[in-house]
Amino acid sequence: MVLRLLMRYLANNEQLIQRMAESYPMRRAAQLAVALMYRTKSLAREQGLHEMTPERFKSFVNMFKNNVRQELEGVKKELNSKKKN
């Protein structure tokens, strides 16, 4: 409750928001976010992902999830086998 009140006060403090917006870390974070967006956009164009149909995109995401799941299971098995030895 107290944290919520404090956050509301800070969010509604216009001078504080302005000072934070003009600070180097905030400006740098915004620059990095925009650079990342443009980089991923260009990579998607190079690999033809921007022309994907929704069905193909879903298939791609499902394959990615399955691959990540398989890798995690493999790592878990390796860790368990190392613990046993």
Side-chain angles (χ1 to χ4, degrees):
M1 177 94 173
V2 175
L3 182 61
R4 186 180 298 169
L5 290 172
L6 180 62
M7 292 302 288
R8 187 179 306 149
Y9 170 75
L10 293 174
N12 291 327
N13 188 340
E14 190 174 334
Q15 291 175 338
L16 176 65
I17 300 297
Q18 188 64 33
R19 287 183 67 194
M20 286 177 62
E22 293 172 354
S23 70
Y24 177 76
M26 290 293 203
R27 286 185 290 134
R28 187 66 182 144
Q31 288 172 348
L32 290 173
V34 170
L36 180 64
M37 181 192 70
Y38 280 118
R39 196 171 306 146
T40 56
K41 188 176 179 180
S42 68
L43 283 173
R45 280 198 178 138
E46 287 175 9
Q47 297 186 4
L49 297 176
H50 71 288
E51 297 174 354
M52 246 188 212
T53 63
E55 293 82 21
R56 187 169 175 216
F57 181 73
K58 285 179 186 178
S59 171
F60 176 78
V61 169
N62 286 333
M63 282 193 313
F64 180 77
K65 284 181 187 179
N66 290 335
N67 288 339
V68 169
R69 224 178 260 135
Q70 288 174 354
E71 288 295 322
L72 285 174
E73 289 173 4
V75 169
K76 285 179 185 178
K77 287 179 183 176
E78 286 181 29
L79 288 175
N80 286 336
S81 66
K82 286 182 181 179
K83 283 183 182 179
K84 290 179 182 178
N85 292 330

